[in-house]
Amino acid sequence: MFELDGRTALVTGAGQGVGAEIARVLAAHGAAVGINDLYAERAAAVIDEIRAAGGRAAPAIADVGDHAAVGRAVEALTAELGDIDILVNNAGLPVGEGFVIRPFERTDPDVWEPWLRVSLYGALHCSRAVVAGMRERGWGRIITISSDAGLEGTPDLVAYSAAKAGVMGMTRALARELGGDGITCNCVALGLMERDEYAPEFPLEEALRGYSIPRMGRASDVAPAVLYIASEEASWVTGQVFAVNGGANVVR
Ligand SMILES: NC(=O)c1ccc[n+]([C@@H]2O[C@H](COP(=O)([O-])OP(=O)(O)OC[C@H]3O[C@@H](n4cnc5c(N)ncnc54)[C@H](O)[C@@H]3O)[C@@H](O)[C@H]2O)c1
């Protein structure tokens, strides 16, 4: 079960964190994996790890918010690893200056734009780049990492919440549009994940209070869910949002 031999995957934002673990797990189950990130050195480190473990991987460096750059990266990756069967839209948090957590009334389009650009437009651009090929071959998986922010809304992260709810809408519409072509489209919605650091203003303790399982999530909690959805065994599962979130939205 859950073998991906002969499949090619592209995981966005796979240079670290959740995306890196998804890439490692897909590769360990036989997929050749394209490692997308903004930063070539992050992608290279993950590729080295996968190759050292006997897997196949290649870089696909691009800003997912840049339509043309995504097209070029997908073309180059396809030439190197083969047609993309599995897309994991994981890049979702803007880096550096774009990562602004602030009450809505103190935000403007310049604060909203990086969240929408990476989380929503990134998923649209990457899906658009692979969907025609999947349709031609009659098989595909589009898996998009969403968030509790999209399920419930997160205060002070209104644009991020909008983007993460937006990808759920994208997923449901694509699932209906492509279901007859052997392509499934699903989301995995995450709760709070362990990160190296949280911005000092982020109310971490308060956020964890509503969790049935009172700890932050780990990349290793997420990758197996993605593996299942990517597999042949999940061929009758589409248009769904899988919450991997410690039961955060069960108790309220
Ligand atoms: N961290 C959390 O608490 C949390 C909670 C819910 C959902 N999520 C979602 O999980 C996913 C992964 O998050 P993470 O915590 O592993 O993030 P992370 O910041 O640790 O890693 C994300 C990677 O994406 C890359 N990236 C950022 N912008 C990019 C772009 N425009 N193009 C290409 N690559 C880009 C970064 O360089 C980085 O290597 C995201 O979709 C995020 O929204 C995270």
Side-chain angles (χ1 to χ4, degrees):
M1 278 181 146
F2 312 138
E3 285 312 317
L4 301 177
D5 289 329
R7 302 283 181 209
T8 297
L10 168 60
V11 184
T12 69
Q16 66 175 34
V18 171
E21 182 63 10
I22 292 170
R24 286 185 207 104
V25 167
L26 297 184
H29 285 259
V33 186
I35 306 296
N36 161 263
D37 208 276
L38 270 180
Y39 299 106
E41 65 279 10
R42 290 185 185 177
V46 176
I47 290 165
D48 286 349
E49 257 186 83
I50 290 174
R51 289 181 180 163
R56 283 182 74 205
I61 305 308
D63 174 354
V64 296
D66 179 336
H67 187 75
V70 167
R72 285 192 298 272
V74 165
E75 206 180 312
L77 186 69
T78 301
E80 190 164 357
L81 292 184
D83 293 313
I84 294 162
D85 306 299
I86 300 162
L87 168 67
V88 183
N89 288 311
N90 165 79
L93 302 174
V95 292
E97 303 289 296
F99 201 113
V100 175
I101 299 173
R102 195 182 287 166
F104 184 60
E105 69 197 39
R106 293 202 281 114
T107 64
D108 289 308
D110 61 325
V111 168
W112 310 337
E113 202 262 346
W115 295 106
L116 291 160
R117 187 170 194 278
V118 182
S119 294
L120 181 57
Y121 274 91
L124 287 165
H125 295 320
C126 294
S127 304
R128 175 68 179 80
V130 300
V131 81
M134 289 178 176
R135 204 165 204 165
E136 265 171 38
R137 295 185 303 284
W139 201 94
R141 299 283 184 266
I142 297 177
I143 302 163
T144 301
I145 304 300
S146 185
S147 166
D148 279 352
L151 282 171
E152 299 195 342
T154 300
D156 301 338
L157 278 171
V158 171
Y160 177 63
S161 302
K164 289 301 201 184
V167 293
M168 293 182 197
M170 177 196 84
T171 293
R172 292 181 181 118
L174 276 178
R176 297 182 70 182
E177 194 169 317
L178 303 171
D181 295 294
I183 303 168
T184 69
C185 305
N186 293 284
C187 280
V188 177
L190 309 185
L192 269 179
M193 302 300 295
E194 283 179 0
R195 293 173 60 83
D196 289 342
E197 57 183 45
Y198 273 90
E201 66 272 23
F202 191 82
L204 202 53
E205 248 178 63
E206 189 189 319
L208 274 179
R209 220 167 276 150
Y211 279 55
S212 304
I213 301 170
R215 68 162 170 83
M216 283 188 277
R218 300 171 189 131
S220 58
D221 294 315
V222 182
V226 173
L227 172 66
Y228 164 65
I229 300 166
S231 72
E232 190 56 40
E233 285 75 11
S235 64
W236 204 49
V237 175
T238 196
Q240 302 304 309
V241 176
F242 291 80
V244 177
N245 66 359
N249 56 348
V250 194
V251 281
R252 278 281 189 272

